[in-house]
């Protein structure tokens, strides 16, 4: 029995040595794989970080370009608003000149007609008052139209 136990013990020791060798191989292989994974992770991280920096730089460039275009559009919009304002002023000036022409010509005719009537109609207090009113109001309207023309220039 002792012999058999020794033989079993020796056989167990032999199997244990073989098992230890296998475990060593597995441990070394696992460590090697872990180092490979660490190296791969490091390389991948660096590559992705580099790509991220490039993307950030490109995004910044696009952002600056977009801001420039927005600035250009704002300037163009301001110019367009200014052109429209100038166009309105020009139209107002043309309209004022047309109105002035259409008002001053009949007003001049009224003034001339009143002067001719003054010579024909007998002079009395009432007629002098009416002709004076016509002259004052003609002069007043003429001055208003002249001021309107000056303001549109």
């Amino acid at each position: 029995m002792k012999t058999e136990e020794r033989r079993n013990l020796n056989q167990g020791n032999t199997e244990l040595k073989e098992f230890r060798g296998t475990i060593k191989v597995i441990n070394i292989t696992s460590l090697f794989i872990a180092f490979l994974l660490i190296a791969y992770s490091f390389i991948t991280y660096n590559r992705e970080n580099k790509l991220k920096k490039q993307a950030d730089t490109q995004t910044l460039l696009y952002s600056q370009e977009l801001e420039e275009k927005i600035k250009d559009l704002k300037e163009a919009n301001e110019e367009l608003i200014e052109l429209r304002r100038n166009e309105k002023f020009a139209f107002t000036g043309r309209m004022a000149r047309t109105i002035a022409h259409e008002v001053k010509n009949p007003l001049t005719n009224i003034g001339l007609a009143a002067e001719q009537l003054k010579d024909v109609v007998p002079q009395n207090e009432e007629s002098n008052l009416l002709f004076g009113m016509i002259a004052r109001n003609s002069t007043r309207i003429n001055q208003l139209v002249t001021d309107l023309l000056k303001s549109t220039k």
Side-chain angles (χ1 to χ4, degrees), residues 106-117:
L107 191 61
T108 302
N109 289 338
I110 290 170
L112 290 174
E115 287 293 321
Q116 286 179 354
L117 278 175

Side-chain angles (χ1 to χ4, degrees), residues 11-65:
Q11 185 180 0
N13 282 339
T14 306
E15 288 176 6
L16 188 60
K17 284 181 185 178
E18 288 176 6
F19 185 68
R20 272 193 236 166
T22 305
I23 288 184
K24 283 182 182 178
V25 169
I26 290 173
N27 282 341
I28 291 172
T29 306
S30 296
L31 280 173
F32 181 72
I33 291 172
F35 283 127
L36 285 177
L37 287 174
I38 289 171
Y40 177 75
S41 297
F42 183 74
I43 291 169
T44 303
Y45 172 78
N46 283 338
R47 184 175 56 224
E48 292 298 321
N49 195 28
K50 185 177 181 181
L51 290 173
K52 181 188 174 290
K53 285 181 182 179
Q54 287 175 347
D56 288 346
T57 303
Q58 193 66 35
T59 302
L60 182 63
L61 290 174
Y62 286 149
S63 174
Q64 290 171 346
E65 185 178 326

Side-chain angles (χ1 to χ4, degrees), residues 17 22 30 32 52 55 59 69 79-80 82 85 87 99 120 124-126 129 133-134 141 152:
K17 284 181 185 178
T22 305
S30 296
F32 181 72
K52 181 188 174 290
T59 302
K69 295 213 184 263
E79 288 177 11
L80 182 61
E82 185 66 26
R85 189 177 304 130
E87 187 176 298
I99 290 172
V120 175
N124 62 30
E125 194 175 311
E126 188 180 352
L129 179 70
M133 283 174 55
I134 292 172
I141 292 170
T152 60

Side-chain angles (χ1 to χ4, degrees), residues 73-90:
L73 284 174
K74 282 182 181 179
E75 288 174 2
N77 193 34
E78 288 173 5
E79 288 177 11
L80 182 61
I81 289 170
E82 185 66 26
L83 285 173
R84 285 184 181 166
R85 189 177 304 130
N86 289 341
E87 187 176 298
K88 285 179 185 178
F89 286 144

Side-chain angles (χ1 to χ4, degrees), residues 116-123 127 131:
Q116 286 179 354
L117 278 175
K118 194 176 184 182
D119 293 339
V120 175
V121 174
Q123 299 288 322
S127 65
F131 285 124

